[in-house]
Amino acid sequence: KLYWRFMTHSRRTHLNNHLIDLKLKDRTVMDFLFGKKKVSPEEQVKGWTDKIRSEQRQLQRQIRDIERSERGIEAELKKHAKNGDVGNARILAKSLANSRKAKNRIRVSVAQMESIKMEMRTQARTAKLSNTFEVSTRVMKAMNNMVNMRTITETMRGLEKEMLKVLSKLFPLLCSLSTHSDGGRRVS
């Protein structure tokens, strides 16, 4: 550590860069030997949205810088207009118009990035949902393979026949009961 403190700045940065290169090379060797770590789609989308968000912040900073310079240009423009310096005032007005156009273009870029972010989230959720449907389809297929439809239909037909026999025996009984409760009159 003491040696590190007394090293010149250029040597330290050179050493740091060399260490970073070694780490990257080691990582690629590890990737070659053991394969890259599988990154889930959700993690990929999260990484991409983080990068887009940082780009958006950088663009917002640029917009603030442009607005700051616009205020200075406006003050200069007013000063030149007050003094009657039309040539310089015209140049500053053009510069102001160009900076406003640039600011609007940057705002459009920020909005497009937000749209891309939302689209990526939607795509990831759709992929997750389709994966869920795929899994449920596999489960349904397995259930269908486990259940033998022939035996179920045969059982259902047997139950239907038995129920018809019971109903055919009960129907005359129910009819006779209904004639007794109506006072002997038959209702059709």
Side-chain angles (χ1 to χ4, degrees):
K1 273 197 162 183
L2 266 172
Y3 177 70
W4 185 260
R5 282 188 186 164
F6 292 110
M7 286 177 73
T8 62
H9 178 70
S10 62
R11 282 190 178 206
R12 267 186 274 166
T13 54
H14 176 71
L15 187 60
N16 278 336
N17 291 340
H18 184 66
L19 289 173
I20 290 171
D21 288 343
L22 282 177
K23 285 180 184 176
L24 291 176
K25 286 178 186 172
D26 288 344
R27 186 68 240 163
T28 54
V29 168
M30 297 298 278
D31 291 344
F32 176 74
L33 291 175
F34 301 108
K36 281 191 174 183
K37 179 184 172 190
K38 298 268 180 165
V39 180
S40 70
E42 293 89 14
E43 290 173 353
Q44 277 183 333
V45 169
K46 186 180 181 302
W48 293 337
T49 53
D50 289 344
K51 287 179 184 176
I52 289 174
R53 197 176 307 118
S54 69
E55 287 295 322
Q56 284 178 319
R57 283 193 302 268
Q58 187 177 0
L59 290 176
Q60 292 293 346
R61 268 186 242 118
Q62 286 180 3
I63 289 173
R64 284 193 300 275
D65 291 342
I66 290 172
E67 288 173 345
R68 194 175 307 119
S69 68
E70 278 180 358
R71 287 192 292 270
I73 291 172
E74 285 173 355
E76 286 288 319
L77 179 65
K78 287 178 184 176
K79 197 186 304 178
H80 286 290
K82 201 178 227 184
N83 293 338
D85 191 4
V86 179
N88 286 334
R90 185 173 288 155
I91 291 171
L92 288 172
K94 285 181 182 179
S95 172
L96 188 63
N98 287 337
S99 67
R100 287 183 179 160
K101 285 179 187 176
K103 189 170 63 172
N104 286 335
R105 274 186 251 133
I106 291 172
R107 283 189 177 135
V108 167
S109 296
V110 169
Q112 287 174 342
M113 285 181 174
E114 188 64 33
S115 170
I116 289 169
K117 240 178 14 180
M118 289 170 43
E119 184 66 28
M120 282 191 315
R121 285 185 198 136
T122 304
Q123 291 294 330
R125 289 180 183 135
T126 304
K128 190 175 184 179
L129 188 63
S130 68
N131 188 27
T132 304
F133 284 141
E134 186 179 317
V135 169
S136 66
T137 303
R138 277 191 250 139
V139 168
M140 291 297 288
K141 281 182 182 178
M143 290 295 289
N144 283 338
N145 289 338
M146 287 175 18
V147 173
N148 189 355
M149 289 304 289
R150 255 189 210 154
T151 57
I152 290 176
T153 53
E154 289 173 5
T155 305
M156 292 303 289
R157 282 187 187 144
L159 285 173
E160 184 181 5
K161 286 178 185 177
E162 287 180 30
M163 287 181 73
L164 285 174
K165 285 180 188 176
V166 169
L167 284 176
S168 65
K169 290 179 183 177
L170 284 176
F171 187 71
L173 182 62
L174 289 175
C175 288
S176 68
L177 286 176
S178 67
T179 55
H180 293 300
S181 64
D182 290 341
R185 282 184 304 180
R186 243 187 153 166
V187 180
S188 43

